[in-house]
Each structure stands twice: as structure tokens, then as C-alpha cells.
Amino acid sequence: MEQIKAFLNQIVDISPADWDYFTSKLHARSFPKKTDFLKLNEVENHISFIESGVVRLYIPKEDPDKEITFGFCFKDEFVSAYDSFLTRKPSAYQLQTLSDTKMMSITYEDLQLVYKHTQIGNLIGRLTAERLFLIKSKREQNLLNLSAKERYLNLFKERPELLKEVPLKYISSYIGVTSQALSRIRKRL
């Protein structure tokens, strides 16, 4: 609980009453490594704050080598198939743990209650949504404007923990190149 409180306190001061109400709606979830905790075509019912672990967002394919990884979430970050969460429609992708992962989660219904019954709920929701949008926008711009080598270098400048925690096949998919192309990029550095 302290991790999520520290994170939210960076955004806004939360009154003790609002904090108590919010935390009464959170529940702990734990998943072992390599668990798909949201599958393709399921409706996302949670927004979760990662206390420990790494999560991959990906589009599954019949051939696992052709899966498309398009996001990673780490400790002290929120994770969700947010488009499915908001629209209440089935997800077009999956969420998978890359390590043993612990998170604090809130359901869609409970989040609506937090919005309704606290002074700060809507602000936290808006600021979190804005942060998720900025991350997505930056990734799209990088894919359109940078070379594969530049995307790789930027990724590790911004997220050095990736090298230790994420298999290279997922990193190559994330930056939009084959594993062989990533291998060549790494040899040239």
C-alpha cells in the first residue's frame, strides 16, 4: 500500500478519508512468471498498480515467434488493457507477467464508486489516463520517426531495467525488428 500511496502523492495530496475509501476498494493479486492474467477477447475489469514484477502487453499469434509485444509495465506503474477497461469491450491483446508479479487492483465498478464518493478520485483518474496516453503517443512517434538502432538506444537510456528483466525476443518485437536485426544492432554497438 505504501508504494501506491507514494506514487499518488507525487500527483496530488489525498485526504485521509479519501485514502481510506480508495484503499478499501483495492485488493492484492499475485501471479507467477509467464501468466497471462488477461487473455485475448476478455473484458478488462481491473486497473492494477505493480508492487513488484514486470508485465508485457502483446498480441498473440498462432506462431509464438510472431507475437507482437507493444508494451511493458514495471514496479510502481499502473497496468491495464485500458481501452477494454474503459469501453467494457473485449481486449484485442493479452497481459502477461514476465516475472513473479504482485499488484494492487481495483475493479471497474469500484473505481466508479471512488470517482463518485471522493473529492480526489476524478483527478487521479484523469492524470493517470493522461500519463498512459503520453506513453502511448511517445512510442508511436518513435516507431514513425526513429531508426531501429535509435529506438533500441532510447529504450535502454529511458528504461535500463529492460535489459535485465525482459527477453530480447520481446524487446525486438517492441522496437519493431526481427530478433536477427536486433542481434546485428547489438553487435554494432
Side-chain angles (χ1 to χ4, degrees):
M1 285 292 184
E2 289 305 312
Q3 284 175 261
I4 194 169
K5 187 173 188 178
F7 177 84
L8 292 175
N9 279 336
Q10 293 173 16
I11 299 171
V12 67
D13 289 326
I14 304 172
S15 74
D18 282 358
W19 177 251
D20 289 343
Y21 188 81
F22 174 66
T23 57
S24 75
K25 303 298 182 193
L26 295 175
H27 60 279
R29 298 194 302 163
S30 296
F31 300 98
K33 180 179 181 174
K34 293 298 245 177
T35 300
D36 288 318
F37 63 96
L38 178 76
K39 295 190 180 191
L40 186 68
N41 295 320
E42 291 179 350
V43 174
E44 174 66 275
N45 197 40
H46 296 90
I47 289 182
S48 301
F49 183 81
I50 301 172
E51 292 186 319
S52 64
V54 180
V55 174
R56 170 174 84 117
L57 291 75
Y58 75 103
I59 299 169
K61 301 290 182 184
E62 280 188 38
D63 179 354
D65 290 334
K66 300 206 187 279
E67 292 174 344
I68 301 168
T69 298
F70 65 91
F72 301 103
C73 296
F74 298 90
K75 176 182 172 185
D76 296 334
E77 292 183 345
F78 284 97
V79 64
S80 181
Y82 197 58
D83 49 347
S84 173
F85 182 84
L86 290 175
T87 63
R88 313 308 303 142
K89 293 189 175 172
S91 177
Y93 52 94
Q94 296 189 174
L95 303 180
Q96 179 185 67
T97 58
L98 295 182
S99 63
D100 292 345
T101 302
K102 293 181 182 179
M103 55 184 76
M104 296 301 295
S105 300
I106 189 167
T107 65
Y108 179 86
E109 293 77 18
D110 283 341
L111 186 60
Q112 302 316 304
L113 292 172
V114 169
Y115 290 162
K116 183 177 180 180
H117 296 292
T118 65
Q119 294 180 14
I120 209 70
N122 282 314
L123 178 60
I124 291 170
R126 188 192 88 218
L127 293 173
T128 301
E130 288 171 357
R131 185 174 181 276
L132 291 170
F133 168 78
L134 291 173
I135 290 168
K136 182 181 183 315
S137 176
K138 183 176 183 180
R139 171 164 160 59
E140 290 171 355
Q141 290 174 44
N142 283 346
L143 282 172
L144 294 170
N145 294 315
L146 300 177
S147 69
K149 179 181 176 182
E150 291 169 323
R151 291 192 302 270
Y152 177 77
L153 291 172
N154 278 356
L155 185 62
F156 287 108
K157 184 172 74 174
E158 296 169 8
R159 306 303 296 261
E161 68 272 26
L162 275 175
L163 197 54
K164 293 182 279 187
E165 301 187 49
V166 176
L168 289 176
K169 67 181 181 178
Y170 300 148
I171 293 169
S172 64
S173 174
Y174 181 76
I175 64 171
V177 298
T178 64
S179 295
Q180 296 82 2
L182 179 59
S183 180
R184 286 191 296 273
I185 290 169
R186 290 168 50 94
K187 283 180 184 173
R188 285 187 238 133
L189 296 178

